Amino acid sequence: MNYQIIIKSANTVDQIEEYWTNDDYIKLLEKFDYPDASDADTASLRELLFMAISDFEPKDAAVIVLEYKLSEDLNEGQIQQISNDMFLDKVCEEYPEIGLHSTLFHVNQLLFKAYNGKFPNAKATILECSMMASEGASELTKENVLKLLSNGLSDSTLIKRLFDHAMNENAPFPEAEDILWDLTTSDNVNYTLTTSEYWLNKEDIIASEFEGVLEESVSAE
């Protein structure tokens, strides 16, 4: 099916405001030995957490936050290794398991802000676009959206370099589920997607209006 794609905006951010909840802040405050966290003013929870974190060595704080968010995905040794690597590299971009990149980004940025830049500063991209089908309008998947964006992206874009076949052919693209952290639409035409700047940045977009063709993916024989 043919689509007309319009890029409405592409913004670079260093945090996703709605990711950390007040409940997260309260639970983390307890882990950082802050008393009566549940009684604190909700408007000040984030700042209180930053104050509590600053009483700990950065590596120890990294371990606590990583254990809070990823204890079911990583073992103790992996968490210790990541807590060391986070000072030197953007682990949220380089970790081999793409499915953990999103959570590692949020952990990294919480620590980056709590310690005023002692951790590397990672970025995310929020892209708003419309994808109008030539016939009807069914909700698109993350895989669909990435394939349709291909014609508007530079060939040097990391996604296209690493997944050229999946991006440009009717081949399965399971990695899309992890490359795009979030995809929302209210009308199956206008979409907002969030991903790492590592995968997609504003400079990668070479056209604001273009066409795309979406074919049904076929499994490899």
Side-chain angles (χ1 to χ4, degrees):
M1 186 180 295
N2 296 324
Y3 283 79
Q4 182 68 30
I5 298 99
I6 299 175
I7 305 297
K8 296 181 176 181
S9 66
N11 296 305
T12 303
V13 299
D14 64 359
Q15 64 178 345
I16 308 299
E17 297 283 353
E18 60 272 19
Y19 179 79
W20 295 102
T21 66
N22 286 338
D23 185 56
D24 287 323
Y25 292 142
I26 290 170
K27 289 177 179 176
L28 281 169
L29 278 164
E30 292 171 350
K31 290 182 178 297
F32 282 99
D33 301 329
Y34 184 90
D36 303 318
S38 59
D39 297 329
D41 178 12
T42 56
S44 63
L45 284 172
R46 182 178 172 88
E47 291 306 315
L48 287 174
L49 176 60
F50 286 175
M51 290 174 58
I53 286 177
S54 66
D55 289 336
F56 287 69
E57 290 297 319
K59 181 185 180 301
D60 295 333
V63 169
I64 291 171
V65 183
L66 285 166
E67 287 179 342
Y68 173 69
K69 291 302 297 183
L70 290 168
S71 60
E72 295 183 2
D73 300 285
L74 300 170
N75 60 41
E76 183 179 349
Q78 290 171 317
I79 288 175
Q80 291 290 335
Q81 185 62 55
I82 290 174
S83 69
N84 286 321
D85 294 343
M86 287 179 75
F87 287 103
L88 306 174
D89 301 302
K90 296 179 182 179
V91 178
C92 57
E93 297 177 354
E94 301 174 2
Y95 199 70
E97 293 185 39
I98 299 175
L100 298 184
H101 283 196
S102 173
T103 305
L104 287 171
F105 167 82
H106 297 298
V107 169
N108 185 93
Q109 293 310 102
L110 182 75
L111 294 166
F112 170 80
K113 292 183 178 294
Y115 285 103
N116 296 313
K118 287 187 178 180
F119 291 79
N121 188 18
K123 302 289 182 65
T125 299
I126 300 177
L127 183 105
E128 294 187 356
C129 62
S130 65
M131 295 185 166
M132 180 70 73
S134 56
E135 302 175 12
S138 57
E139 186 171 357
L140 297 170
T141 65
K142 292 179 179 180
E143 176 179 333
N144 295 154
V145 167
L146 281 180
K147 287 175 180 284
L148 287 173
L149 285 175
S150 183
N151 287 344
L153 302 179
S154 166
D155 287 339
S156 63
T157 305
L158 183 63
I159 306 172
K160 293 183 72 171
R161 288 191 284 113
L162 292 183
F163 303 104
D164 177 68
H165 180 67
M167 282 283 283
N168 296 292
E169 304 290 340
N170 60 329
F173 190 10
E175 295 86 357
E177 286 297 316
D178 295 324
I179 291 173
L180 290 189
W181 299 347
D182 190 47
L183 177 67
T184 60
T185 181
S186 60
D187 57 8
N188 296 339
V189 173
N190 296 288
Y191 289 83
T192 300
L193 65 87
T194 306
T195 186
S196 171
E197 185 187 45
Y198 172 75
W199 292 113
L200 178 66
N201 62 59
K202 293 190 291 186
E203 289 69 33
D204 290 327
I205 301 168
I206 58 174
S208 59
E209 296 188 28
F210 51 95
E211 295 181 349
V213 178
L214 190 62
E215 300 179 27
E216 184 178 352
S217 296
V218 294
S219 301
E221 294 292 338

